[in-house]
């Protein structure tokens, strides 16, 4: 094996004259590939290519026996290049890199060809064409493999601190677990208090425990933990660096008072003359322009809503600890962390713009979150559910499920939690006021986890009615302001005309505000539904494609509380692997300069977004700082002289693939 | 170019164009994977070449693909603003203008060189793209630059 991994100069001029002995391993992936592609025909054809010493077809190449086969053949045929034709390198390349490395081959001597996702799965009814395509793809891989050069993955040190973005129940769990393992955690929350959405729920299904009663102590636990540094009313503004060494700029929005002096006594609120809709109560009831977010807030400190403050300065006079400071500016903290956990949460679907089911047109249609706050003893009505038009307690209550979920016009996915919270909400009101009458209009009732079906049964036993159908017409009685609904009961296939005193929409889970900003700061992928993507939907549910960045909670899709808490813990566990090892492995793929060809034009420097290319002023040559280079290759494509190359994606390697897309027809048509 | 007429004449319903698709590791390659996972069926015309970033795609690669016999070449990457490497795709966009001009000068029909931003989750979009391009190319027939005897 030649040692061209060293300096840039050497790797630009490969001296790898060793004969290439390629082994090709075609995977059937059970019937996933084998059911469409004639794998034997592919292997037979590939076996005729120059340099291919052995081919093998395995039922599952990734299995123990499949990997043993690769290792045995490396030994038997003294292979120095391995081509695996199977699924996606994005999921399985590390497996086979490790497999060949165990046999003493450089891991970058593996070429991975995707004949499943890019072939058998998308040409299921064109078996012959799929087989021909697979031959092309493997041939491209074989020719590329012969040009692969050894590279060294590098180790980077990991700062043993973590950043958790979002202090909802998932983020708090991550922070607590990491802190309990002895790591310092910065917990950043954009709202003035930690707690997230869960702090606003009245009771939580399926056990109907009081939400803040179980969350409150956890919030206090977070605040008490010496290893957790809460940064509330703060936002991440910039993220720089890479796994092990992220530099993060955090903005602290001004509260217009000194947090160290404020005691949270709320005397300021008492004297404040301004009343605005109370956001914590979903805009129901009012709060003052200076206010403590809610009674259990952590930190229990006031803040001034400057958009609504009239600068009467009454609060400054009332404040005994002289905490008020009207001239406060945003301040910033720079932190260095090894890992980042994104627990940026969700918001509920807003039915106002589309007036779904008459929301926003008729007074007595509210969302489930509004209903939740009305049920809450600390809510705007002290726990009395009243209807907005006349503040009377409703008798007939209708619930509409799947609002903003399972709907082509809004979100196609199921939000997962709405069936259960609707069942719970109906139960709670029924228990409070047994004279009430509840009808839940649903598409399907989904109760998959422990205790959920039991809760559903309990609702039915309490007399909550379930009607399978979606309202087709919603109108308001102009006199009584009652809501009239036409709905087909799809089980009996009868049209029903129902009248409700109050109707509640079970709005779904949608991506939180600012999720796009977090996505761009952390360089994550966003799915078509606007939610962030995990590295693998099943096997790496909390990892992302960015090393050292993890996701917990609803940022990556709707979740209930136990699921979000589990993910919070899972992220802490995954992050601890890096934090405890104090090192992470990064790809060896970087740009390299051939100084003999470089003319010092600096085009590459203007291309690099990571400032990884510096000029060697004396030699007037570009120089790649490997620790900073992320290996995108943009500078390589821009280099006018061809002095730059990207290791593992060199021009000759790419062109070998291009050339081998095609083959000369042996027999003229 | 003497083979072109013959190949065009030989073009039947069975003819499958060969399309070279350059995909970036983070978005469009993942989009092609997602197309597979979603079983979004598409013509067996595309051959994907993975690069880390669309910014790596060099005119050298694109025109070599045409010279080798590509009936179409696709340049794909992350949506603007979503680049894994901050802004590699912005540079791709600029470079693509140049590619388009050169392709035009060479007499390559505009359908044969296409740019698209496809995220890792947009499997259906990827499949539709391949289906649309394949249909367009089937109408046009083999590339005028395709060397004789190449399939």
């Amino acid at each position: 094996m030649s040692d061209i991994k060293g300096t840039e100069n050497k790797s630009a001029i490969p001296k790898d004259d060793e004969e290439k002995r390629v082994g090709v391993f075609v995977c059937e992936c059970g019937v996933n590939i084998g059911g469409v592609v004639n794998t034997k025909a592919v292997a037979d054809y590939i076996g005729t290519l120059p340099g291919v010493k052995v081919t093998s077809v395995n039922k599952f190449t990734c299995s123990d026996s499949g990997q043993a086969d690769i290792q045995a053949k490396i030994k038997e045929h003294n292979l120095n290049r391995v081509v695996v034709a199977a699924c996606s390198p994005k999921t399985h390349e590390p497996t086979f890199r490790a497999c060949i490395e165990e046999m003493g081959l450089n891991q970058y001597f593996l070429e991975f060809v995707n004949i499943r996702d890019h072939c058998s799965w998308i040409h299921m009814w064109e078996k012959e064409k799929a087989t021909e395509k697979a031959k092309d793809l493997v041939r491209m891989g074989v020719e590329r493999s012969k040009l692969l050069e050894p590279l060294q993955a590098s180790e980077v040190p990991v700062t043993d601190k973590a950043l958790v973005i979002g202090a909802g129940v998932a983020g708090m769990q991550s922070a607590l677990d990491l802190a309990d393992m002895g790591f310092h955690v910065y917990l950043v929350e954009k709202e003035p208090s930690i707690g997230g959405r869960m702090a606003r729920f009245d009771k939580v299904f399926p056990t109907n425990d009081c939400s803040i009663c179980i969350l409150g102590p956890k919030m206090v636990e977070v605040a008490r933990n010496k290893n957790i540094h809460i940064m509330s009313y703060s936002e991440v503004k910039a993220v720089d660096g890479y796994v092990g060494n992220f530099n993060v700029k955090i903005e602290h929005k001004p509260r217009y008072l000194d947090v160290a002096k404020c005691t949270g006594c709320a005397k300021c609120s008492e004297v404040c003359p301004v009343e605005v809709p109370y956001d914590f109560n979903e805009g129901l009831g009012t709060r003052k322009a200076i206010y403590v977010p809610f009674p259990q807030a952590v930190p229990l400190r006031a803040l001034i809503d400057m958009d609504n403050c009239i600068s009467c300065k009454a609060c400054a006079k009332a404040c005994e600890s002289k905490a008020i400071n009207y001239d406060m500016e945003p301040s910033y903290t720079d932190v260095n962390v090894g890992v980042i956990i994104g627990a940026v949460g969700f918001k509920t679907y807003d039915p106002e713009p589309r007036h779904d089911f008459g929301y926003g047109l008729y007074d007595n249609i509210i969302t489930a979150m509004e209903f939740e706050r009305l049920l809450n003893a600390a809510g705007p009505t002290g726990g009395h559910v009243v209807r907005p038009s006349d503040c009377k307690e409703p008798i007939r209550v209708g619930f509409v499920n799947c609002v903003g979920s399972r709907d082509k016009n809004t979100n196609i996915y199921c939000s997962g939690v709405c069936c259960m919270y609707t069942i719970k909400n109906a139960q709670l009101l029924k228990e409070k006021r047994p004279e009430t009458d509840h009808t839940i209009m649903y598409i399907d009732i989904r109760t998959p986890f422990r205790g959920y079906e039991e809760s559903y049964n309990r609702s039915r036993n309490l007399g909550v009615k379930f009607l399978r159908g979606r309202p087709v017409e919603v109108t308001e009685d102009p006199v009584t302001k009652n809501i009239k609904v036409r709905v087909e009961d799809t089980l009996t296939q009868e049209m029903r005309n129902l009248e409700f005193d109050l109707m509640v929409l079970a709005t779904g889970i949608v991506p939180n505000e600012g999720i796009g900003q977090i996505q761009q700061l952390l360089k994550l992928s966003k799915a078509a539904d606007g939610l962030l993507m995990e590295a693998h939907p099943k096997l790496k549910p909390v990892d992302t494609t960015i090393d050292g960045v993890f996701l917990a909670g609803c940022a990556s899709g709707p979740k209930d509380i136990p699921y979000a808490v589990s993910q919070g813990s899972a992220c802490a566990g995954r992050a601890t692997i890096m934090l405890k090892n104090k090192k992470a492995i990064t790809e060896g793929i970087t740009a390299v300069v051939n100084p003999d060809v470089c003319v010092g034009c600096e085009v590459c420097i203007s291309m690099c977004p990571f400032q990884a290319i510096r000029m060697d002023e004396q030699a007037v040559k570009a120089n790649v700082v490997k620790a900073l280079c992320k290996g995108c290759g943009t500078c390589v494509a821009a280099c006018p002289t061809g002095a730059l190359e990207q290791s593992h994606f060199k021009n000759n390697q790419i062109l070998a693939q291009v050339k081998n897309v095609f083959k000369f027809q042996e027999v003229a048509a | 170019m003497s083979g072109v007429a013959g190949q065009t004449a030989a073009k039947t319903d069975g003819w499958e164009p060969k399309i070279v698709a350059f995909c970036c590791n983070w978005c469009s390659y993942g989009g092609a994977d997602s197309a597979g996972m979603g079983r979004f069926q598409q013509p067996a015309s595309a051959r994907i070449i993975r690069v880390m970033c669309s910014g790596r795609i060099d005119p050298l690669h694109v025109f070599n693909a045409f010279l080798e016999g590509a009936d179409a070449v696709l340049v794909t990457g992350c949506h603007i603003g979503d680049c894994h490497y901050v802004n590699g795709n912005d540079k791709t966009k600029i470079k693509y203008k140049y590619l388009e001009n050169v392709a035009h000068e060479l007499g390559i029909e505009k359908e044969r060189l296409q740019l698209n931003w496809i995220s890792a989750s947009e499997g259906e979009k990827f499949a539709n793209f391949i289906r649309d391009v394949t249909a367009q190319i089937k109408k046009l027939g083999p590339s005028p630059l395709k060397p004789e005897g190449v399939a």
Side-chain angles (χ1 to χ4, degrees):
Chain A
M1 213 181 286
S2 59
D3 65 338
I4 52 172
K5 64 176 180 279
T7 65
E8 292 161 2
N9 193 5
K10 277 188 190 166
S11 56
I13 310 160
K15 290 179 189 149
D16 186 13
D17 317 324
E18 196 184 5
E19 182 209 0
K20 300 303 179 303
R21 295 177 297 276
V22 186
V24 180
F25 299 85
V26 182
C27 180
E28 298 208 300
C29 195
V31 293
N32 283 306
I33 296 169
V36 177
V37 170
N38 183 341
T39 46
K40 188 176 177 304
V42 173
D44 288 349
Y45 163 73
I46 294 299
T48 65
L49 298 178
V52 176
K53 299 296 173 198
V54 60
T55 62
S56 182
V57 176
N58 277 294
K59 200 92 196 148
F60 293 100
T61 309
C62 60
S63 68
D64 250 7
S65 62
Q67 293 193 50
D69 181 47
I70 295 176
Q71 295 189 333
K73 291 203 164 72
I74 289 175
K75 202 169 174 188
E76 189 185 337
H77 300 273
N78 193 21
L79 301 177
N80 53 15
R81 296 293 186 279
V82 170
V83 176
V84 174
C87 47
S88 175
K90 289 179 77 88
T91 56
H92 280 64
E93 194 171 54
T95 308
F96 294 106
R97 279 184 170 180
C99 170
I100 71 163
E101 199 167 38
E102 273 181 20
M103 297 305 290
L105 282 184
N106 185 283
Q107 57 166 316
Y108 290 90
F109 284 161
L110 172 80
E111 176 61 16
F112 204 102
V113 180
N114 190 336
I115 59 167
R116 187 187 72 180
D117 310 45
H118 296 183
C119 190
S120 65
W121 273 354
I122 57 171
H123 312 306
M124 292 168 85
W125 300 290
E126 295 186 289
K127 296 188 178 183
E128 274 178 33
K129 282 185 178 176
T131 302
E132 288 311 304
K133 177 171 169 178
K135 287 180 186 172
D136 287 353
L137 293 172
V138 183
R139 184 177 63 237
M140 290 158 67
V142 167
E143 295 308 323
R144 175 178 147 85
S145 79
K146 294 179 190 169
L147 299 166
L148 292 176
E149 295 171 10
L151 295 174
Q152 218 59 48
S154 45
E155 266 182 16
V156 292
V158 173
T159 306
D160 63 348
K161 294 188 172 75
L163 169 72
V164 178
I165 308 171
V169 71
M172 290 199 304
Q173 188 66 45
S174 287
L176 279 171
D177 286 1
L178 285 168
D180 286 347
M181 286 188 271
F183 302 109
H184 190 86
V185 183
Y186 300 100
L187 179 59
V188 176
E189 170 57 52
K190 70 175 177 183
E191 299 290 331
S193 169
I194 64 170
R197 302 297 295 195
M198 189 179 164
R200 300 189 190 190
F201 301 152
D202 175 45
K203 294 194 171 56
V204 285
F205 62 80
T207 44
N208 298 2
D209 10 15
C210 157
S211 187
I212 196 70
C213 310
I214 55 174
L215 188 73
K218 213 175 182 75
M219 290 159 67
V220 174
E221 203 186 326
V222 169
R224 279 213 192 109
N225 197 305
K226 297 262 185 302
N227 280 338
I228 299 176
H229 183 162
I230 297 175
M231 295 177 173
S232 60
Y233 210 40
S234 300
E235 287 185 34
V236 173
K237 285 292 167 190
V239 180
D240 199 19
Y242 46 87
V243 57
N245 187 23
F246 292 104
N247 295 307
V248 184
K249 184 179 273 306
I250 297 158
E251 180 189 72
H252 311 295
K253 294 178 273 188
R255 283 175 180 259
Y256 301 101
L257 51 80
D258 186 342
V259 175
K261 290 182 187 164
C262 175
T263 59
C265 69
K267 287 209 173 104
C268 50
S269 299
E270 287 167 22
V271 299
C272 178
V274 181
E275 291 198 11
V276 292
Y278 190 9
D279 36 9
F280 185 75
N281 277 341
E282 300 292 307
L284 302 170
T286 59
R287 64 160 168 78
K288 299 296 183 68
I290 183 164
Y291 65 108
V292 174
F294 55 98
Q296 300 85 353
V298 172
L300 191 68
R301 297 289 181 268
L303 71 153
I304 300 178
D305 162 8
M306 232 2 133
D307 292 342
N308 290 301
C309 173
I310 55 168
S311 301
C312 69
K313 302 201 164 50
C315 51
K317 282 173 212 145
C319 181
E320 287 167 8
S321 48
K322 305 283 172 243
I324 312 277
N325 171 7
Y326 297 105
D327 303 319
M328 214 171 201
E329 295 282 334
S331 61
Y332 297 88
T333 307
D334 292 308
V335 299
N336 180 260
V337 295
V339 295
I340 299 176
I341 294 169
V344 295
F346 69 99
K347 60 178 186 177
T348 45
Y349 171 76
D350 180 9
E352 174 92 48
R354 283 170 36 89
H355 298 308
D356 298 86
F357 301 103
Y359 184 89
L361 299 176
Y362 311 130
D363 289 345
N364 292 327
I365 300 177
I366 62 173
T367 66
M369 270 310 286
E370 290 165 340
F371 190 80
E372 198 88 44
R373 294 311 300 161
L374 290 173
L375 274 172
N376 192 274
T381 55
H384 295 280
V385 174
V386 296
R387 59 185 213 155
S389 69
D390 50 15
C391 284
K392 282 189 183 146
E393 295 194 299
I395 298 293
R396 295 162 301 175
V397 183
F399 296 88
V400 183
N401 275 12
C402 305
V403 180
S405 308
R406 303 185 70 195
D407 181 345
K408 270 193 253 178
N409 300 310
T410 56
N411 295 304
I412 55 165
Y413 56 81
C414 168
S415 291
V417 292
C418 321
C419 286
M420 284 308 301
Y421 76 58
T422 300
I423 286 169
K424 172 212 65 171
N425 284 345
Q427 257 172 37
L428 292 175
L429 187 54
K430 185 80 184 167
E431 284 171 351
K432 261 188 191 173
R433 291 177 42 231
E435 72 276 20
T436 51
D437 183 66
H438 302 269
T439 307
I440 296 178
M441 290 162 277
Y442 67 95
I443 304 177
D444 298 291
I445 291 289
R446 296 180 169 178
T447 61
F449 298 112
R450 191 177 198 186
Y452 289 16
E453 183 71 11
E454 291 87 329
S455 176
Y456 177 31
N457 287 337
R458 215 160 79 78
S459 278
R460 287 196 291 199
N461 292 339
L462 278 169
V464 174
K465 293 174 210 153
F466 288 81
L467 191 159
R468 186 169 174 274
R470 254 165 116 68
V472 290
E473 189 179 69
V474 179
T475 52
E476 180 189 59
D477 184 316
V479 180
T480 61
K481 300 284 176 188
N482 288 345
I483 301 299
K484 293 179 158 180
V485 172
R486 264 167 70 76
V487 54
E488 184 192 351
D489 182 336
T490 56
L491 295 179
T492 61
Q493 298 191 349
E494 283 169 359
M495 281 309 288
R496 306 268 299 272
N497 291 300
L498 304 174
E499 191 168 332
F500 299 114
D501 303 321
L502 178 71
M503 193 160 87
V504 185
L505 305 185
T507 48
I509 286 176
V510 295
N512 210 349
E513 269 142 29
I515 201 166
Q517 197 189 344
I518 291 293
Q519 176 223 348
Q520 294 192 355
L521 285 172
L522 299 178
K523 317 253 185 300
L524 301 174
S525 306
K526 196 160 76 172
D529 53 23
L531 295 156
L532 301 179
M533 289 216 1
E534 60 285 78
H536 190 282
K538 292 165 207 80
L539 300 180
K540 287 187 175 175
V542 300
D543 292 32
T544 67
T545 49
I546 308 301
D547 288 342
V549 178
F550 305 90
L551 292 175
C554 289
S556 57
K559 285 169 192 81
D560 59 13
I561 292 165
Y563 192 173
V565 171
S566 309
Q567 284 211 323
S569 282
C571 281
R574 298 289 291 161
T576 300
I577 297 173
M578 288 177 184
L579 296 173
K580 186 181 161 292
N581 287 341
K582 296 190 171 64
K583 64 183 182 199
I585 310 290
T586 59
E587 275 276 9
I589 299 168
T590 60
V592 282
V593 183
N594 179 351
D596 293 345
V597 185
C598 177
V599 294
C601 70
E602 303 191 10
V603 166
C604 51
I605 295 178
S606 68
M607 286 291 131
C608 182
F610 307 106
Q611 290 82 45
I613 310 182
R614 309 268 160 89
M615 276 305 278
D616 178 340
E617 298 293 348
Q618 282 195 318
V620 202
K621 304 284 178 195
N623 202 355
V624 177
V625 183
K626 288 206 170 178
L628 295 177
C629 177
K630 305 275 196 300
C632 65
T634 302
C635 58
V636 181
C639 177
T641 64
L644 272 162
E645 269 290 14
Q646 182 188 12
S647 55
H648 212 56
F649 291 90
K650 297 181 75 163
N651 278 329
N652 65 345
Q653 294 163 348
I654 294 171
L655 291 176
Q657 283 177 286
V658 169
K659 191 178 169 68
N660 282 284
V661 166
F662 311 96
K663 60 176 186 283
F664 282 97
Q665 279 172 327
E666 311 243 328
V667 187
Chain B
M1 298 280 146
S2 59
V4 174
Q7 280 177 5
T8 313
K11 184 185 75 174
T12 61
D13 287 345
W15 179 68
E16 200 69 79
K18 272 208 172 161
I19 298 169
V20 176
F22 291 100
C23 292
C24 79
N25 182 61
W26 304 99
C27 292
S28 50
Y29 190 92
D33 279 0
S34 294
M37 277 183 258
R39 311 295 194 277
F40 293 113
Q41 301 300 301
Q42 42 189 290
S45 51
R47 305 289 182 269
I48 289 173
I49 294 176
R50 180 169 68 123
V51 288
M52 294 310 281
C53 177
S54 64
R56 173 68 183 99
I57 302 165
D58 195 310
L60 181 77
H61 309 148
V62 172
F63 292 112
N64 260 288
F66 278 121
L67 292 174
E68 295 288 350
D71 296 303
V73 177
L74 309 178
V75 175
T76 67
C78 306
H79 287 273
I80 295 294
D82 287 356
C83 180
H84 183 82
Y85 303 103
V86 185
N87 53 16
N89 51 2
D90 287 322
K91 289 148 194 166
T92 307
K93 201 173 153 186
I94 296 165
K95 204 162 17 184
Y96 185 76
K97 281 272 165 220
Y98 159 79
L99 289 174
E100 263 184 330
N101 289 339
V102 178
H104 181 74
E105 289 296 318
L106 289 171
I108 298 171
E109 298 96 325
K110 64 177 179 5
E111 290 85 349
R112 296 194 192 275
L113 178 64
Q114 298 198 31
L115 174 75
N116 209 337
W117 310 127
I118 300 167
S119 83
S121 64
E122 291 174 328
E124 193 168 11
K125 181 177 179 183
F126 191 95
N128 290 341
F129 182 46
I130 298 298
R131 205 175 302 129
D132 292 347
V133 175
T134 307
Q136 290 166 9
I137 301 303
K138 277 194 169 177
K139 270 190 200 151
L140 289 176
S143 162
L145 297 185
K146 193 192 274 287
E148 206 170 340
V150 163

